[in-house]
Amino acid sequence: MSLDLDKRQRAMLREMGVRLWQPPPVVASPDVPPAIDSVAADAHPARAEGSFDAEPQRPTPAPAPAVRPPAAAPAPAARMPAAPAPGLAPRPAGIELMAWPALQAAVAGCRACALCTSRKNTVFGVGPAAADAAPAVDWLIVGEAPGENEDIAGEPFVGQAGRLLDNMLLAMHLQRGNDDATRAGVARNVFITNVLKCRPPANRNPDPAEVAQCAPYLKRQVELLQPKVILALGKFAAQSLLQDSVPDVQKIPLGKLRGQVHSYLGVPVVVSYHPAYLLRSLGDKAKAWDDLCLAMSVAPTVVRSA
Ligand code: SF4
């Protein structure tokens, strides 16, 4: 797509670490990534995107073995307790019919998986203020799970990774809903959330059972928000959103899910790297900008009132 970037957007891209390379007119951009010119490090060391790709796949049930294992051997994938642990409770019924306020309340009080026992706050998401309805947004950003800062703040993507995400959004004429700064031509046209609404202890990877328990909340958020495009940041976000549309998505590296438009509940989905990973993997920032350009080509930014 053709990008007509003004000085402010160029500054935002410099903050992202993306140095713009200007192609000759009319010639399509070659597959030569722009240079990277910034350095940063921090954030979610235990949940780096690179480690996701390198992570061995969780064992799947094996076909009937010739020799049966001992009857008492526990299934390796069965992480959820067989009996309800103290403090846990069934997930609220009727999530698929909940209005926005009820959905917020359900998440705030949810004790459907063990993460409720260690969280400080649930992290429902952030977007423009809306009285009793879902915010009117065209963009939905889906990350993986709250980290330490997010758990404390009760808000997704805060800290250094959050600042990088904010700069990525500004490059797309977007800003998070509770950002008080007034910027010309920039809209609070985005809702930001995670697959998991509670922090995994020590920023460990989300457990499949936890993702399954929490998935109905994200599904209902998408149904109520009706975004024009979803940006899935990180492997677990991509896997969660694409598990019904991409065969064996758990076996596909994140890099191979990029560069194409997927679908979730009929909404276009573009996959990219998690900002926490980009903070340590400078060479992939240019690829992330390519992903944002793809997303913008799917859903051109529509400026809505704050
Ligand atoms: S992670 Fe999701 S399912 Fe688990 S307690 Fe939090 S809101 Fe409930």
Side-chain angles (χ1 to χ4, degrees):
M1 71 179 293
S2 172
L3 291 176
D4 184 15
L5 302 177
D6 57 26
K7 288 176 61 177
R8 180 187 50 74
Q9 286 176 288
R10 290 173 185 278
M12 290 304 117
L13 290 176
R14 278 197 299 276
E15 286 297 315
M16 280 182 60
V18 175
R19 179 180 297 162
L20 284 177
W21 177 79
Q22 291 292 337
V26 186
V27 177
S29 176
D31 288 335
V32 179
I36 303 299
D37 62 358
S38 75
V39 175
D42 170 72
H44 303 297
R47 211 183 312 135
E49 195 57 40
S51 68
F52 288 166
D53 284 344
E55 182 191 20
Q57 297 299 310
R58 188 173 300 285
T60 52
V67 179
R68 288 183 176 277
R79 291 285 189 83
M80 286 294 288
L88 299 191
R91 197 173 51 215
I95 292 174
E96 68 279 5
L97 299 175
M98 286 181 178
W100 194 255
L103 188 64
Q104 286 180 294
V107 168
C110 182
R111 305 193 67 80
C113 81
L115 298 184
C116 71
T117 63
S118 55
R119 73 186 179 210
K120 290 184 172 61
N121 290 293
T122 55
V123 181
F124 183 76
V126 64
D132 293 321
V137 294
D138 290 334
W139 289 76
L140 175 62
I141 311 294
V142 179
E144 298 176 347
E148 182 179 15
N149 293 329
E150 290 80 6
D151 183 43
I152 293 171
E155 180 176 333
F157 288 100
V158 297
Q160 202 168 0
R163 284 192 291 277
L164 177 57
L165 176 62
D166 287 345
N167 286 333
M168 294 163 68
L169 295 176
L170 284 170
M172 298 189 292
H173 300 275
L174 301 171
Q175 67 183 97
R176 71 171 67 205
N178 57 354
D179 180 353
D180 291 332
T182 300
R183 300 180 178 89
V186 176
R188 297 171 176 83
N189 191 7
V190 56
F191 192 85
I192 306 168
T193 190
N194 284 306
V195 170
L196 289 184
K197 312 307 185 192
C198 303
R199 179 198 182 200
N203 292 348
R204 65 161 168 75
N205 287 337
D207 184 288
E210 294 158 357
V211 172
Q213 277 290 51
C214 216
Y217 295 126
L218 177 60
K219 180 172 184 284
R220 188 60 181 156
Q221 286 179 311
V222 173
E223 290 171 343
L224 292 172
L225 289 166
Q226 298 185 6
K228 287 191 169 65
V229 64
I230 298 172
L231 194 57
L233 300 180
K235 186 172 181 177
F236 282 94
Q239 289 180 348
S240 180
L241 291 168
L242 305 181
Q243 59 184 336
D244 292 334
S245 60
V246 177
D248 294 327
V249 67
Q250 283 79 9
K251 299 178 182 176
I252 303 176
L254 181 73
K256 294 192 182 304
L257 294 171
R258 296 179 48 252
Q260 50 191 308
V261 180
H262 305 277
S263 177
Y264 176 75
L265 300 179
V267 180
V269 176
V270 173
V271 172
S272 190
Y273 298 105
H274 194 284
Y277 165 75
L278 293 174
L279 288 172
R280 289 189 306 279
S281 303
L282 306 180
D284 285 333
K285 284 187 175 181
K287 295 179 183 176
W289 176 240
D290 289 342
D291 299 332
L292 301 187
C293 290
L294 174 60
M296 285 188 284
S297 74
V298 172
T301 300
V302 177
V303 175
R304 289 182 171 180
S305 58

